[in-house]
Amino acid sequence: MIRTVIHSTWNILAKILLFAGIGALLSLVLVVHPELPADETIGQWVWFDKAAIIASVCTLLSILLGKRALELTTTVMWALIVLGGIEAIWGLRQLYGFTASGHSRYALTGSFFNPGPYSGYLAMILPLCFYQYLSLQSSRLLKTWVWWVKNIVAGSVMLLILCVLPAGMSRSAWLAAGISCLWVYACHVGWGVWLREVWIHHWKRLFTAIAVGVGIMVLAGYLLFSLKPDSARGRLFMWKITCRVIMEKPLAGHGTNNFAVAYGHAQEDYFATGNYESWEERVAGSPEYAFNEYLQAAVEWGVPLTLCGLAAIVMCLYIGIKKRRYGICGAILSLMIFYFSSYPLQLPVFIVTFIALLLACVCGNSRWEWIGLAILAVAVGGFRLKNDLRIEQACREWMNVRVLYNAGAYESGEREYVSLYPLLKERAAFLFEYGHGLHKLRRAEASNRIMREALKLSCDPMILNIMGKNYQQKGDYLAAEECFIRSTHRLPGRIYPYYLLAKLYAEPAFRQPDKFETMKRIVLTKEPKVQSTAIRQMREEVNKMIVKR
């Protein structure tokens, strides 16, 4: 009797340790660093490195203490449900004004920077809650206090998510949540067998029902498009340009993290032809991501490697379905739908969570599998930790230097940017600030050297504008003109580069009256996306300029 109690205690302790380890690994979703740049993810990567080591220790201790087989699927599922509940409460507090949002333009962001990824995260958790709730309701086990606790937690988190998710206004998340939950319900009640029988005996009725369902989906798609039409058109145009980028290097791809620069060149070439619709100019932007993970993977890795990755994910789903892990598969399905129109895999929380879900699909309860995962986690975390800590510290120092930059103390800030450059030279925002500061100090050659590096990481036309102004300072007017024209091609909806061209053509050493009049007319008549004081000032200044023939 005593031995049984001892064994039971050790098993409970082993489960607690395992849940703590996996929970720590997945909890980087809750990690927020307001002292770092808003879209900087290095703080979460540092947390992951530390959590990976903690998770490995907890896993190994669980293996030593527990006599029963440990279940990765159940642990991952409940860890995500708990985290989803915390995120949902976080969002509700933001909606009611008790907690500050992560972005000044949005009331609801959770622990994220904007509501898009936040809604996608909740959409991933919803099928897990739904499956767990359905499984508990149909369970024939004795309804002990454990059953009641699980039932209440799963049901409560599901209701919290349903309260918050509509407020996120993410159509992609709504679609992902709806389809994945429908799929989970279909698997739970065995619709597959029922559909086969209906197809055999009542195929006409089934065909009619499918036709009606397709009609409803088309209508729903139209309504979702009408909700934010310019946003939808912007995504479609972005995917159009991205497909052109893929066709340039369909096999080898452009390289990891090279999407922005490849996209910028493709959009520049597209608008340079002049053969485009007016709405395309209006919705065009300078995106860092493709807002479609499949297209972005094809751009960076090439089509063959992307298809291999998709095949591996589908294989994991197939194994998961065979093992009847419908909740985990539903969460993966939700993410894969969300991948079509967002950028979750550019954020550490989604990368780590997606890998955990795939492992939960295929892994069994073997102790050797657990030991292998623990060794892999501690190796990855230990290998990355030192370098990530150095970069995190550099980002913190960068935020302090940014105060000097924003205050216009470019001379004082320049020395700090030089010292931080080796660690932060892969960040386009850092390079832009560094190069712009050098431009303000009238160090044109050094500024352009930094801006050329930034141009390899970003498709922001402001980089070309600064480069053009640097060339203009040096008296290289032809190079300046080329940069400004490239900027107008990259984003023809912006008025600023036309204003810079007008000032360039008004220079006494480069006076070109005809081109000046053309640029002046564009600045005065072009309709901006948003009216602002800066646009009014540019128009007033250009209107006063007179270039004699």
Side-chain angles (χ1 to χ4, degrees), residues 343-486:
Y343 54 93
L345 288 184
Q346 310 308 314
L347 304 175
V349 55
F350 283 99
I351 296 173
V352 174
T353 304
F354 191 56
I355 292 173
L357 288 169
L358 292 176
L359 290 173
C361 255
V362 300
C363 288
N365 302 324
S366 168
R367 290 176 178 268
W368 291 110
E369 287 182 355
W370 279 107
I371 293 172
L373 291 175
I375 293 172
L376 179 63
V378 76
V380 171
F383 177 76
R384 292 173 49 94
L385 182 58
K386 184 178 179 180
N387 187 58
D388 285 351
L389 282 171
R390 292 172 61 214
I391 295 175
E392 183 189 32
Q393 182 58 35
C395 285
R396 293 176 189 273
E397 294 176 14
W398 172 26
M399 289 297 288
N400 295 329
V401 180
R402 184 175 277 183
V403 175
L404 298 174
Y405 171 81
N406 292 331
Y410 303 113
E411 188 71 44
S412 302
E414 192 266 341
R415 292 188 293 271
E416 301 297 330
Y417 279 106
V418 170
S419 64
L420 294 174
Y421 171 78
L423 287 172
L424 301 181
K425 62 183 178 180
E426 300 298 324
R427 282 157 172 76
F430 170 83
L431 293 175
F432 179 82
E433 290 179 15
Y434 184 14
H436 187 234
L438 292 171
H439 163 73
K440 289 293 185 178
L441 294 171
R442 303 190 69 81
R443 296 173 56 184
E445 190 61 42
S447 175
N448 272 354
R449 177 176 58 82
I450 298 298
M451 285 299 182
R452 277 191 286 271
E453 292 185 37
L455 203 58
K456 296 177 182 179
L457 301 171
S458 172
C459 57
D460 187 356
M462 274 303 296
I463 298 173
L464 291 168
N465 293 335
I466 301 299
M467 291 178 67
K469 291 166 75 174
N470 285 330
Y471 283 123
Q472 190 172 349
Q473 283 181 10
K474 293 168 57 181
D476 191 347
Y477 299 115
L478 289 176
E481 181 186 30
E482 180 187 356
C483 286
F484 295 148
I485 290 174
R486 286 185 61 191

Side-chain angles (χ1 to χ4, degrees), residues 21 26 69 77 87 104 133 170 211 213 217 261 291 299 317 334 436 473 501 534:
L26 297 175
M77 184 180 298
E87 279 291 335
S104 59
Y133 184 78
S170 173
M217 289 181 66
V261 60
F291 283 81
V299 167
L317 276 173
S334 178
H436 187 234
Q473 283 181 10
L501 279 169

